[in-house]
Structure formats: C-alpha cells, structure tokens
Amino acid sequence: MCLSVYQAKPYVELKHPEWAESAVIYQVNIRHFTKEGTFEAFRAHLPRLKDLGVDILWLMPIHPIGELNRKGSLGSPYAVKDYYAVNAEFGTAEDLHRLINDIHALGMFVILDWVANHSAWDNSLTQSHPEWYSKNKQGNFQPTPWYDWDDIIEFDYTNPGLRQYMTEAMKYWVINYDIDGFRCDVAGFVPTDFWNQVRFELDMIKPVFMLAEWESRDLHQKAFDMTYGWNLWDKLLAVANGRGYNRHAFPALVEYMAHDVKTFPRDAYRMLFTDNHDKNAWEGNQYLNFSDALGVATVMTVLANGMPLVYSGQEAGLDRSLAFFDKDFIEWKPHPNAELYRTLFSLKHKNRALRNGQRGGEMIRIPNSGDKILSFYRESDGDRAVAILNFSDKRQMLKLQCDGIEGIYIDWFSQRSYQLEISHQVEIEPWGYIVLSQHKIDN
C-alpha cells in the first residue's frame, strides 16, 4: 500500500486570520465599563487599550435583553430578545457603527458575543417559530436542563430552519457592521456541524476569528480558532491560593503543560486568563482567587501556549466581583497591573516564539532543582523566550540545566543583558518570575 495513506495530516483545517497570530484579547463589559455604560463612553478608552497592547476587543452581548423572567433590574446580557437589534441601554446602531469604525482605525479588531444555545422567553421567535425550541415532557418551553438559567429557554438544533436563521443573523453583523468574528456562548451545547457550516459561510464574506466558550479539540477542526483554557485556570488556582492546595497541585500544573503539548492540535489557539466575566461574577475576583500569585499567574498566561485575555478592569486593579444583573461600574485608576500587561504584551508581539498556533514555539521543560518552580522555553524562527516561574511563597536559590539554550538574552522586565549558563544558578523571589527573550534574527 502507498505510504501516502499513512501521511500525518494536520487536525486544524480552518485558516486563522493573519492578524490573530500574535494577538492579545480584551473582554469588554459595556454595561459596567463606564458610569454611562454606553458605546459612546467606551470609545474614550480605545487609545488606552491600544497602548496597553490589546489587539482584539470582545464585546459582551450587545442585543436587547428579555424582560419576561428577567433576573435583577437589568437582566442577563445572555438572555437575547432580538438577534438583529442593538440594546438601547448601550446606545444606537449608529453609535455601534462609530465604535467599530474607531476600533478598526486604531488597527484593532472586534468580535461580538453570540448566544446561539438559547434566547429570552420573550424573543419574538417564541411566537413565530415555537417549533425551534426544546420542550419538556408537558410540551412547554424549557431552560437548558441542569442549570439555574430560568431566564432563558433553549433552542432545538435538529430544526434546519433554526440553523438557517441563526446563520443568517450572524452573517448580518459581519456584512452590515464589519465585525471581525464572534465569541460563542456555551458553544459545546450547540452541535459542532452547525458551527462548521457557520464558519464556512462567514469566511465567504471575510476572514473571521471565532472563539468558543468551550474546551474541546473537535471544535478546532473546521469551526473555531480558539477555545477556553479553563483547565489552566483551575491548575493555577490550586497552586496559588490554598483551595485544594496539596502535594498534587503543582504536579497537576506540570501535567497541564504535558497535555497541552501532546494532546491539543498544534494550530489550535487556547485562551488563557486569570479572570473573565464568569469567574469574576460567580467565583471571586482576581485578588481573592490568586492573591500574591496573581503576577506570576499573569506571566504564565502570556508565556504559555495560548492567547492572553484581560477582563474589563483587571488592568486597573479590579478587586471585587461586578454585579451581573444590575448596574455597576469600574473605578479606573493607574495601577501596576497595567504596566505588567504592557510589558508582557510587548514581548508577545515582538518574540515570534510566542505566536499563537503552529508558528509559535512548543513549550519545552527546563529541568531545575527548585521546589514548585516551573521553567520552560519556547523557540521559533530564531527567537526564543524563557520563563522561570516560582509558584511558591518562599525565596529560592536553584539551578537550571540549560544545555542547548545557553547564551545572552534580554531580561524583559529590566531590559538588561542576561547571561544564561549551561548550568545556571539563580535566586528567585516568592511568587517571582524571570522572563528572558532572545532575538537571533532582527525583527
């Protein structure tokens, strides 16, 4: 038999937009971003976010919110009343157009949050197409089973009419608003073959970027550029703050690295974070969760394989959970987090080893003598990045085995020359980090 039958084939068949390869993503909670909670008020923050190093702005749902069975005074943005309209709470369609134009003018990109699994109880589709919804044993509309999502009702994707409607609605926003893609809510609850068809039709309009709120390999083949790195967040949390902290927590973090390298497709993007709207609303804020380990956890989300996410307010030191169903707002102030992000994102953009997908470098472990020290490097196209991360609350003197990667680097935070020896001894602070960069070819 011809050997071509056994030729290895890449799992990811879709083509990523070129602009996403070294991108950083930022989640925008319009409702809470400013006191006004509008598109117009948010526009003033665009230059600041550009300066921070943000490339992709993910806008949480911008559609009108259902009133029937609403939670809180304003309801959940994930209870969509009209897929073709703009929530008047945020402004007008013209305001949204102006915001998107400004984002593009600054060289950034914008994706909309899309809720395909369910709608509000008072979405007009319940009247015009009740057959598009799941029903309980009594034949009534029902929320997604097993969850406390009683403000929404679930669609039934066995119906081709629903699939066509939802596809056309998504195409509408790309065609009429020139958005650059979607973040798709609970994407794993919707059949993968639906997403595959959606991606095909969207890419016929323009190259789009698709983020799935899910963590599964199958979504990467034809539909989604990126899925969530929930698993890394869990591992970082266990090591960082004492919840579940035991002798297995750090080995589990190391195991994450092994599984990412060996089980995930090379060209699949993974979104890495220390906070997002779900974590912030229901599981505590970045400081409650990570405490003194927040800095090293943040560094991990940028140096590891994946695309780093910043949630609204993290760069200003957001230290509380924002209200989800009612009005709240973020206090904007200078904070060291902003400089940490800015420094890390400049490295993400410059060092080709940190690119997303197959053109980035594989994470390779550097043996060390420390306790709960994670050390690894990535290299690609002549560039190399080294991370030495202390996931313990004690200062350590340790030795690294750097055979094959020794040489002169830039200490990225001090911007000083750094000599990495074959057998390298280094001292590192509690919850500290050392990030080195090498550029063998001028960028």
Side-chain angles (χ1 to χ4, degrees):
M1 184 176 290
C2 179
L3 285 178
S4 63
V5 174
Y6 300 101
Q7 183 67 40
K9 298 178 181 179
Y11 182 78
V12 177
E13 298 178 11
L14 60 81
K15 183 178 180 181
H16 304 294
E18 291 183 9
W19 48 262
E21 189 173 73
S22 296
V24 169
I25 188 168
Y26 188 101
Q27 182 183 4
V28 182
N29 189 331
I30 291 288
R31 176 185 284 174
H32 299 331
F33 214 89
T34 61
K35 291 183 179 180
E36 300 87 347
T38 62
F39 299 132
E40 275 296 297
F42 172 64
R43 284 175 62 217
H45 287 262
L46 293 180
R48 178 181 65 78
L49 294 173
K50 176 68 175 179
D51 179 69
L52 193 68
V54 171
D55 303 289
I56 303 173
L57 293 170
W58 148 26
L59 305 185
M60 288 174 65
I62 52 85
H63 306 297
I65 295 169
E67 298 175 19
L68 183 60
N69 298 323
R70 170 179 284 190
K71 292 185 176 182
S73 62
L74 296 176
S76 168
Y78 295 90
V80 176
K81 188 175 182 179
D82 185 346
Y83 286 96
Y84 281 90
V86 173
N87 187 351
E89 174 192 344
F90 301 151
T92 65
E94 290 73 22
D95 293 337
L96 179 59
H97 274 296
R98 188 158 44 247
L99 173 61
I100 293 169
N101 288 339
D102 284 0
I103 290 169
H104 287 159
L106 286 169
M108 296 188 288
F109 300 85
V110 58
I111 64 175
L112 296 186
D113 214 322
W114 195 260
V115 189
N117 176 68
H118 51 261
S119 81
W121 285 82
D122 48 359
N123 190 301
S124 63
L125 297 176
T126 61
Q127 300 296 319
S128 60
H129 290 285
E131 74 277 10
W132 288 358
Y133 288 86
S134 297
K135 309 293 195 306
N136 61 19
K137 194 172 183 180
Q138 290 73 39
N140 300 319
F141 297 135
Q142 63 175 356
T144 298
W146 298 93
Y147 287 87
D148 63 348
W149 301 348
D150 51 11
D151 58 338
I152 58 90
I153 47 177
E154 187 177 62
F155 285 120
D156 176 4
Y157 272 83
T158 64
N159 194 302
L162 168 64
R163 289 176 174 234
Q164 182 182 25
Y165 169 88
M166 199 62 71
T167 303
E168 293 300 323
M170 296 177 76
K171 289 164 64 176
Y172 168 85
W173 292 94
V174 176
I175 293 169
N176 292 281
Y177 286 79
D178 196 27
I179 66 160
D180 302 297
F182 295 92
R183 177 267 187 188
C184 298
D185 189 59
V186 288
F189 284 10
V190 177
T192 303
D193 66 319
F194 166 76
W195 293 125
N196 291 346
Q197 182 64 29
V198 165
R199 177 59 180 263
F200 173 78
E201 296 195 32
L202 293 177
D203 272 344
M204 294 292 286
I205 303 168
K206 66 183 286 189
V208 294
F209 183 83
M210 299 288 284
L211 163 62
E213 188 201 15
W214 209 248
E215 191 169 21
S216 178
R217 289 181 293 189
D218 64 312
L219 292 175
H220 285 282
Q221 187 173 25
K222 297 180 179 181
F224 288 96
D225 300 273
M226 187 160 71
T227 56
Y228 273 53
W230 295 115
N231 202 22
L232 178 60
W233 189 90
D234 292 338
K235 300 299 186 290
L236 290 172
L237 182 71
V239 171
N241 74 352
R243 271 189 271 169
Y245 191 92
N246 53 51
R247 62 189 178 90
H248 300 296
F250 182 75
L253 178 60
V254 175
E255 184 179 47
Y256 169 88
M257 306 289 279
H259 284 205
D260 182 85
V261 169
K262 297 300 294 184
T263 72
F264 238 73
R266 278 279 290 134
D267 207 24
Y269 293 10
R270 311 194 74 180
M271 188 174 74
L272 308 181
F273 47 86
T274 55
D275 208 359
N276 58 49
H277 74 279
D278 283 310
K279 295 301 184 186
N280 178 269
W282 317 120
E283 298 184 53
N285 63 77
Q286 58 182 336
Y287 289 101
L288 178 64
N289 285 324
F290 292 98
S291 188
D292 293 338
L294 179 61
V296 68
T298 299
V299 173
M300 180 70 176
T301 65
V302 180
L303 271 292
N305 175 43
M307 183 186 297
L309 166 76
V310 182
Y311 177 53
S312 299
Q314 281 195 272
E315 73 272 35
L318 180 65
D319 59 358
R320 62 188 179 85
S321 292
L322 297 170
F324 199 75
F325 305 115
D326 303 286
K327 178 61 182 170
D328 205 343
F329 62 89
I330 298 162
E331 180 186 355
W332 293 106
K333 59 184 184 296
H335 193 276
N337 283 1
E339 188 55 36
L340 176 62
Y341 284 130
R342 190 176 293 107
T343 301
L344 288 169
F345 297 162
S346 69
L347 177 64
K348 172 78 173 176
H349 291 141
K350 182 176 178 63
N351 193 305
R352 288 171 289 192
L354 300 183
R355 290 177 296 194
N356 306 311
Q358 63 184 0
R359 292 195 351 125
E362 178 182 316
M363 298 181 296
I364 299 176
R365 191 174 189 178
I366 302 173
N368 69 73
S369 63
D371 178 33
K372 300 183 179 67
I373 300 290
L374 188 67
S375 51
F376 63 95
Y377 72 92
R378 300 174 64 189
E379 62 181 341
S380 180
D381 289 345
D383 287 2
R384 184 183 297 136
V386 174
I388 308 167
L389 312 176
N390 186 358
F391 285 99
S392 78
D393 59 0
K394 59 185 178 182
R395 179 183 288 106
Q396 297 189 54
M397 181 68 73
L398 62 137
K399 186 172 290 186
L400 302 166
Q401 297 303 315
C402 300
D403 190 13
I405 61 168
E406 71 278 4
I408 299 174
Y409 291 77
I410 299 171
D411 181 318
W412 199 251
F413 284 93
S414 71
Q415 287 296 298
R416 295 174 180 170
S417 179
Y418 189 103
Q419 178 72 44
L420 193 65
E421 307 289 348
I422 293 178
S423 182
H424 190 75
Q425 189 163 313
V426 65
E427 185 174 11
I428 189 166
E429 296 296 311
W431 306 113
Y433 43 86
I434 298 171
V435 175
L436 308 177
S437 182
Q438 189 179 76
H439 308 276
K440 291 186 179 177
I441 302 174
D442 184 58
N443 288 343

